């Protein structure tokens, strides 16, 4: 019918500045190639850094109906988006929940998302901090890495990356938050954002070899978080 699904590569934004490559810029050419009579709208899409499902619609009413469904789903206890991630490190528990407050914090000239473990009522009421929750399950593990299924129960920018660092298992290719997981004698521990500025992810030689990468190529490694599934009404 009116719906079209794409598999977006990581790094492609949905909306971009004039002159930048973005999904929105590509939609008219896609419509022409497919011979669609109506303009395409983005119904649901992963963040720029993520790969995975992009849901498009050529019917305005279908777009609005589905967008309203996704907005209202959490209030009804439905969680229609399921992600998969490859992590550096294997969670201690095979499944569980990650729950924390998240807020934007200024670090020098840039803002970053940081956990607030015990947010106060006032900060939550002022919406300075948002309570967030993600359910996870380990699907597979080998060589010190794991494949996780992630189901966010709340929505906040970079929620999945920050939650994975709290598990002490940052996502592969996370060059923004992985520095918060330090190691002493091989044991991981969490560092505060103030003491661990963003930098290219550090991987051990064995994993680099398995990926076929040199340390100089690491900054090209994309974030391995993928929107795997969307459940529609």
């Amino acid at each position: 019918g009116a719906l079209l699904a794409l598999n977006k590569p990581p790094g492609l934004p949905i909306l971009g500045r004039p002159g930048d490559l973005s999904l929105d810029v590509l939609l008219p050419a896609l419509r022409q190639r497919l011979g669609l009579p109506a303009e395409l709208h983005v119904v649901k899409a992963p963040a720029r850094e993520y790969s995975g499902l992009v849901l498009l619609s050529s019917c305005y009413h279908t777009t609005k109906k589905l967008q309203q469904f996704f907005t209202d789903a959490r209030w009804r206890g439905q969680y229609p988006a399921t992600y998969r991630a490859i992590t550096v490190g294997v969670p201690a528990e095979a499944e569980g929940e990650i729950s924390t407050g998240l807020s934007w914090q200024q670090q020098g000239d840039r803002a970053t998302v940081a956990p607030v473990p015990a947010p106060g009522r006032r900060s939550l009421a002022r919406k300075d901090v948002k309570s967030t929750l993600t359910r996870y399950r380990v699907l597979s593990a080998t060589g010190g890495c794991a494949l996780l299924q992630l189901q966010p129960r709340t929505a906040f920018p970079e929620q999945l990356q920050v939650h994975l660092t709290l598990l002490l298992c940052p996502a592969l290719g996370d060059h923004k938050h992985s520095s918060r997981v330090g190691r002493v004698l091989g044991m991981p521990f969490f560092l505060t954002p103030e003491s661990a500025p963003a930098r290219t992810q550090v991987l051990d030689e064995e994993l680099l070899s398995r990926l076929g990468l040199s340390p100089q190529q690491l900054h090209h490694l994309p974030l391995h978080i993928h929107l795997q599934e969307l459940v529609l009404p």
Side-chain angles (χ1 to χ4, degrees):
L3 295 179
L4 176 69
L6 303 178
N7 186 15
K8 184 183 85 68
L12 179 68
I14 305 307
L15 298 172
R17 293 172 297 187
D20 287 353
L21 180 65
S22 67
L23 181 66
D24 190 57
V25 168
L26 298 172
L27 289 182
L30 179 63
R31 172 191 170 188
Q32 186 176 17
R33 176 177 288 190
L34 296 176
L36 299 175
E39 182 182 350
L40 284 167
H41 312 104
V42 177
V43 179
K44 185 78 171 172
R48 174 183 186 142
E49 296 86 1
Y50 299 176
S51 61
L53 270 168
V54 174
L55 189 63
L56 304 172
S57 167
S58 59
C59 170
Y60 176 80
H61 296 293
T62 301
T63 300
K64 289 300 175 187
K65 183 178 179 181
L66 286 174
Q67 285 177 339
Q68 194 63 49
F69 164 76
F70 287 124
T71 300
D72 297 341
R74 290 188 184 91
W75 298 105
R76 295 193 297 266
Q78 297 173 319
Y79 307 100
T82 301
Y83 293 78
R84 293 211 174 164
I86 295 177
T87 61
V88 181
V90 181
E93 301 292 334
E95 59 182 292
E97 293 183 345
I98 311 126
S99 176
T100 188
L102 290 180
S103 71
W104 285 101
Q105 295 183 10
Q106 198 69 28
Q107 286 188 349
D109 59 349
R110 61 189 299 177
T112 185
V113 179
V116 182
R121 290 183 180 178
R122 289 184 179 179
S123 59
L124 290 169
R126 290 195 305 265
K127 298 185 178 180
D128 296 335
V129 180
K130 180 172 180 176
S131 291
T132 59
L133 177 67
T134 301
R135 285 202 59 81
Y136 76 89
R137 183 159 61 93
V138 178
L139 301 176
S140 177
T142 183
C145 294
L147 175 65
L148 266 59
Q149 178 177 290
L150 302 171
Q151 196 171 60
R153 301 297 177 99
T154 53
F156 197 89
E158 302 172 22
Q159 172 178 319
L160 296 180
Q161 295 106 291
V162 177
H163 281 187
L164 289 173
T165 64
L166 292 172
L167 272 184
L168 304 179
C169 299
L172 184 65
D174 185 352
H175 306 300
K176 190 176 287 187
H177 300 282
S178 62
S179 58
R180 299 179 191 175
V181 179
R183 287 186 180 273
V184 172
L185 299 176
M187 297 299 293
F189 65 96
F190 186 77
L191 292 161
T192 61
E194 298 80 23
S195 61
R199 57 177 166 78
T200 301
Q201 188 174 33
V202 177
L203 302 177
D204 62 37
E205 290 183 9
E206 182 183 351
L207 184 52
L208 278 173
S209 175
R210 292 173 66 193
L211 291 168
L213 295 174
S214 69
Q216 293 73 33
Q217 294 172 314
L218 251 180
H219 67 279
H220 293 301
L221 186 68
L223 181 66
H224 281 57
I225 298 180
H226 181 82
L227 179 51
Q228 173 81 11
E229 181 181 272
L230 287 172
V231 178
L232 302 183

